[in-house]
Amino acid sequence: MDNQKTHQLAIIPGDGIGKEVVQEGIRVLDFISKHSPNNFNFETDYFPWGCEYYLEHGRMMAEDGLERLKNYDAIYFGAVGFPGVPDHVSLWGLRIAICQGFDQWANIRPVEFLPGVPSKLNHPDTDTLNWVLVRENSEGEYSGIGGRNFTGRGPGKEVAVQSSLFTEEGCERVIRYAFDLARTRKRKKVTSVTKSNAQQYGMVLWDEVFARVSKEYPDVETDQWLVDAMAANFVLHPEDLEVVVASNLLADILSDLGSALAGSLGIAASANLDPERRYPSMFESVHGSAPDIAGKGIANPIGAIGSAALMLEQLGYAEEAQLVNQSIRDATAAGYLTADIGGNTSTKEMTDAILEALAKVYVKA
């Protein structure tokens, strides 16, 4: 077609069920590109990086991996981790290498309670609950600073040192992103989460930056919590949550808690963004590689499909992204549920139901 916009996608299925759910997400992206009134399509290149690649080559991705990825419009990622490869090797060698290498400093993780999905939360109106975590994604507790070079103390006396890195620039840009995001939502509120009573340097810096930046957003409501109190608040008062911003580790933990309360990590989407668009952003479901169910056709593709919706939004197709998210809701409301959320729908059948809901929208149009 004339003047059709082509988006180049780098596909890294990774390990375990990552290979299965990524394929389902691509089915949805292809359907959208064929039926949307906007004139665009996707061209995909696959990269076989992950734990199998590591066992063969001694590294999680090619040595020139970042150079090969840097000119793509987006990266679509499955999952990482498999027996035989230590988790810290698989994570640092692939996912974190890409996130930090491309300075994808804003990790966005929506928490949504889908209709028909049994919630783990005792709340009178879960259908109204919807919040998003903004995770600082480039420094903090994932800075990789430390070592274990203290074995000279003798057997049983080894010492490991692990340090976090907080910079004023890093804190400010992700906090400011959270405030800007809050301005796009119905309720304009940002909650900052730290553990500054115990981490008296880096997280006190975070608190001070949050206080300073918040003065520039008088229209946005704010509050601040210590992470242990916020974990309780996720359970006791989730209706108070809108945009939650936190450090790399704290937001990682809280986002898993939020998705578990909503029913399963299998429904959780995420985006690793370079908001300045210097490099490609990366989109991935929050769940792990789940090797125990890999190949059985029962993995939940909702997280991966929701991540594809985040990709569409980042590429400029907000309406299409909303349609995908609504079709996910329509499918679960109609009773299509995979095993992790209480049903017996297969991976493919779940995607088929979402595509069927999408098809109804485009037939009406």
Side-chain angles (χ1 to χ4, degrees):
M1 296 177 65
D2 293 338
N3 301 317
Q4 186 175 60
K5 174 68 174 178
T6 297
H7 297 285
Q8 303 290 337
L9 302 186
I11 313 298
I12 307 176
D15 306 313
I17 63 171
K19 300 174 183 179
E20 301 169 49
V21 297
V22 159
Q23 282 304 117
E24 301 306 309
I26 291 172
R27 289 177 62 200
V28 173
L29 289 172
D30 286 343
F31 183 93
I32 285 288
S33 67
K34 291 175 182 176
H35 293 84
S36 168
N38 290 307
N39 194 11
F40 67 94
N41 72 337
F42 296 102
E43 291 185 356
T44 58
D45 290 323
Y46 283 75
F47 295 87
W49 301 333
C51 289
E52 291 182 27
Y53 187 91
Y54 175 86
L55 293 173
E56 183 177 351
H57 300 279
R59 55 187 307 122
M60 290 294 295
M61 67 175 178
E63 189 172 359
D64 62 345
L66 294 181
E67 182 67 23
R68 292 166 65 179
L69 291 173
K70 72 177 184 180
N71 292 321
Y72 283 90
D73 295 307
I75 302 166
Y76 194 31
F77 190 87
V80 66
F82 215 75
V85 180
D87 288 343
H88 67 279
V89 171
S90 60
L91 183 65
W92 281 90
L94 188 54
R95 184 194 174 277
I96 290 182
I98 294 171
C99 289
Q100 294 188 354
F102 288 151
D103 200 20
Q104 296 167 346
W105 50 264
N107 178 223
I108 311 306
R109 294 189 170 188
V111 176
E112 186 170 0
F113 289 71
L114 299 174
V117 175
S119 168
K120 308 300 182 183
L121 191 61
N122 183 16
H123 190 276
D125 194 10
T126 56
D127 288 345
T128 65
L129 300 178
N130 181 324
W131 68 90
V132 61
L133 281 108
V134 178
R135 172 188 179 187
E136 199 292 312
N137 207 38
S138 63
E139 52 182 50
E141 304 89 346
Y142 286 66
S143 299
I145 300 172
R148 293 179 56 182
N149 299 318
F150 302 100
T151 55
R153 291 171 177 262
K157 300 291 186 180
E158 183 177 0
V159 177
V161 174
Q162 189 84 44
S163 298
S164 300
L165 174 69
F166 289 84
T167 67
E168 185 173 7
E169 178 185 18
C171 295
E172 179 167 347
R173 64 185 183 179
V174 75
I175 289 170
R176 194 174 294 279
Y177 185 95
F179 274 96
D180 290 336
L181 178 60
R183 279 181 165 171
T184 69
R185 296 173 67 90
K186 185 175 181 180
R187 183 183 184 187
K188 298 173 175 56
K189 180 182 180 182
V190 177
T191 298
S192 174
V193 181
T194 64
K195 189 61 178 173
S196 52
N197 59 342
Q199 302 288 316
Q200 73 270 43
Y201 302 121
M203 290 195 174
V204 169
L205 172 63
W206 176 292
D207 287 344
E208 291 172 352
V209 172
F210 183 81
R212 172 170 58 80
V213 171
S214 66
K215 294 177 182 178
E216 301 179 33
Y217 295 83
D219 55 317
V220 179
E221 180 186 356
T222 63
D223 59 1
Q224 296 174 255
W225 291 80
L226 297 177
V227 66
D228 39 359
M230 178 49 61
N233 225 31
F234 265 45
V235 177
L236 299 176
H237 299 290
E239 67 278 0
D240 291 341
L241 305 173
E242 192 66 32
V243 175
V244 179
V245 62
S247 69
N248 215 328
L249 178 63
L250 301 189
D252 187 13
I253 296 169
L254 287 173
S255 64
D256 280 10
L257 172 60
S259 298
L261 292 172
S264 170
L265 293 186
I267 63 176
S270 78
N272 303 287
L273 302 179
D274 167 24
E276 297 157 273
R277 299 178 185 270
R278 299 158 297 168
Y279 304 105
S281 295
M282 182 165 67
F283 303 84
E284 59 173 332
S285 48
V286 172
H287 62 72
S289 60
D292 57 321
I293 64 169
K296 296 182 178 180
I298 61 173
N300 192 336
I302 289 177
I305 294 171
S307 300
L310 290 170
M311 183 195 300
L312 287 167
E313 184 174 3
Q314 176 74 359
L315 292 174
Y317 306 108
E319 182 177 347
E320 287 82 353
Q322 291 174 5
L323 289 175
V324 171
N325 286 325
Q326 183 57 51
S327 295
I328 291 172
R329 296 180 64 85
D330 291 345
T332 59
Y336 292 95
L337 305 174
T338 48
D340 60 309
I341 49 178
N344 55 14
T345 303
S346 71
T347 306
K348 181 181 182 301
E349 289 168 344
M350 188 75 243
T351 307
D352 288 344
I354 293 168
L355 291 174
E356 183 178 349
L358 274 171
K360 291 177 181 178
V361 173
Y362 284 112
V363 167
K364 290 179 182 179

